[in-house]
Amino acid sequence: MRTYADLFAAREFRNLFLANCAGIAAHTTSALALGALTYASTGSALLTALSMFGAPLAGVLGSLTLLSAADSLPPRRALTLAAVLVTVGAAVQAVPGLPLWARFTIIFVSAYVGSITGGARWALLTDILPANAYVLARATMNTSVGVMQIAGFGLAGALLVLLTPYQVFLLAAVLRAVAAAVGWFGLSERPVRVTERTTIARTVRVNKELWKDPGRRSLLLNLWVPNGLIVGCEALFVPYAGDRAGFLFAAAALGMLIGDVVVGRFLTVARRERWVPALRLLLAVPYLVFLLSPPLPLAMVVALIASVGFAAGLPLQERLIAHSPPEARGQVLGLHHNGMLAGQAVCAALAGTVADLVPAYWAVALLAGASLAATLVLTAGLRRTAPAGAGAVR
């Protein structure tokens, strides 16, 4: 498979893509509504960042307990169950007057359920498509994230002018229900990858086996740490731009979309590998401009350009699959996804803490500097998994 036409000719991929689009649109609309509600009621940059980006911390718990469900549960059943539970959570968020601790509990429980089944979604790509189509398929799925974030944040920003946050939560619940229905009726059930029961002991054992390999460990750290710190920068868009933060989120999503399209569709395997170093640096360097407290249009350009760098994760994920056992594919991709989201949540909390002490634009620049430092420190470990002949961009 080399083109989008080839990819979307696969019925199950189309349905998985549509379900993912509906889920991401629901997440972005409800996240901005919850962030606006939290900031209006508390005035805290830390709590606002946690409300929008903190839920994936539940992925840490999921990764340490029942992550093996990604390989030991039938994938369609697992994904549908998670979608239904998240739909219920979104509907409860629409209740006015719900205490903030209850809202945080809902997003934590929803994220936990998603964390133990999310790996099944990415492993399913390797089941319904040829092996050489993974990067194109994952890039296309990432593109759906970018498009739906642009649409979701833009729509939520407009709706919050006309509607209450609680009404926006109801819209998110409807989108979640659509995602659950498309997944259930649009996918075929497949057998489990392993016949062992889903247990904490099995999850821990496989995690240890995956982590002890230096090459896999380096790939996971490179996929988690620099990206997480840049998401920490994004977590400060609301404190930085106030009610215009939706424009910054949309610009960042557009940049991610551009990177995924170019790297996933138009670059060969060899070219993808040669572009990895430049893309990893591009992710952090532009945000250093925030030291100058740029006006909103320039800040949008910075967010757009920097977010192209997220595409470096595509060839690194390709390496991760190549260096992992097939029977643990769901768990290793779940570990990558949960660790990435948890790192983003930790960095969002860190960013909020820093921004409660110094101006938001200083905090953005500090997080970007930390990401750049992490990128440089972690570069050496990538040599263990680099394909033969991979080199610098020419």
Side-chain angles (χ1 to χ4, degrees):
M1 288 190 175
R2 291 176 173 268
T3 67
Y4 292 121
D6 294 336
L7 198 59
F8 283 98
R11 180 187 66 86
E12 287 188 281
F13 177 80
R14 290 198 306 271
N15 292 325
L16 193 63
F17 178 85
L18 289 173
N20 198 57
C21 284
I24 295 299
H27 173 75
T28 51
T29 52
S30 59
L32 191 56
L34 185 57
L37 194 64
T38 302
Y39 196 64
S41 61
T42 68
S44 169
L46 172 58
L47 289 177
T48 301
L50 285 174
S51 70
M52 297 184 67
F53 297 95
L57 287 173
V60 176
L61 182 60
S63 296
L64 296 176
T65 55
L66 300 178
L67 183 59
S68 55
D71 293 306
S72 57
L73 289 179
R76 184 181 72 159
R77 192 179 310 168
L79 294 175
T80 303
L81 175 62
V84 169
L85 291 174
V86 173
T87 300
V88 173
V92 175
Q93 289 278 22
V95 177
L98 199 66
L100 195 58
W101 65 264
R103 297 189 184 281
F104 275 61
T105 300
I106 291 169
I107 62 174
F108 183 89
V109 172
S110 298
Y112 175 77
V113 173
S115 73
I116 62 178
T117 58
R121 174 182 293 105
W122 308 123
L124 197 57
L125 290 178
T126 66
D127 292 334
I128 64 181
L129 298 169
N132 64 354
Y134 178 82
V135 166
L136 177 60
R138 186 63 190 259
T140 305
M141 296 289 276
N142 289 352
T143 298
S144 74
V145 174
V147 171
M148 289 301 104
Q149 283 183 341
I150 294 170
F153 283 125
L155 178 63
L159 288 177
L160 285 171
V161 176
L162 304 172
L163 306 175
T164 67
Y166 313 111
Q167 292 169 319
V168 175
F169 287 136
L170 280 177
L171 173 62
V174 171
L175 290 170
R176 292 287 190 186
V178 169
V182 171
W184 179 255
F185 293 107
L187 299 175
S188 300
E189 192 59 281
R190 285 175 168 77
V192 298
R193 293 179 181 275
V194 294
T195 55
E196 292 182 64
R197 292 178 58 191
T198 300
T199 63
I200 294 176
R202 181 176 181 276
T203 297
V204 172
R205 173 172 56 81
V206 176
N207 280 346
K208 287 181 178 179
E209 292 172 359
L210 293 172
W211 185 253
K212 70 181 180 182
D213 178 78
R216 271 195 300 269
R217 186 167 63 244
S218 173
L219 285 168
L220 289 170
L221 289 172
N222 275 278
L223 285 163
W224 290 345
V225 181
N227 293 18
L229 288 163
I230 293 305
V231 172
C233 296
E234 296 178 359
L236 298 177
F237 286 170
V238 171
Y240 183 80
D243 58 4
R244 297 183 297 170
F247 294 107
L248 287 173
F249 283 117
L254 178 60
M256 187 174 68
L257 185 154
I258 292 170
D260 286 332
V261 169
V262 172
V263 174
R265 172 63 182 86
F266 296 106
L267 298 186
T268 63
V269 174
R271 286 187 177 275
R272 283 199 297 265
E273 286 293 337
R274 288 200 296 269
W275 273 96
V276 166
L279 288 170
R280 293 174 70 236
L281 292 174
L282 182 65
L283 185 62
V285 171
Y287 275 110
L288 298 177
V289 172
F290 269 73
L291 275 173
L292 305 176
S293 186
L296 182 64
L298 178 56
M300 290 173 62
V301 172
V302 167
L304 186 151
I305 293 173
S307 295
V308 173
F310 280 116
L314 291 170
L316 296 186
Q317 289 174 54
E318 195 171 33
R319 292 192 202 181
L320 184 62
I321 292 174
H323 287 79
S324 301
E327 65 274 12
R329 188 166 291 162
Q331 186 158 340
V332 73
L333 290 174
L335 189 63
H336 152 244
H337 189 68
N338 292 344
M340 177 184 70
L341 294 180
Q344 292 173 1
V346 169
C347 293
L350 173 64
T353 301
V354 174
D356 279 340
L357 302 173
V358 301
Y361 63 93
W362 283 9
V364 171
L366 287 171
L367 268 290
S371 177
L372 179 59
T375 295
L376 297 175
V377 169
L378 293 171
T379 295
L382 289 179
R383 298 191 186 101
R384 296 187 181 94
T385 58
V393 179
R394 294 188 179 89

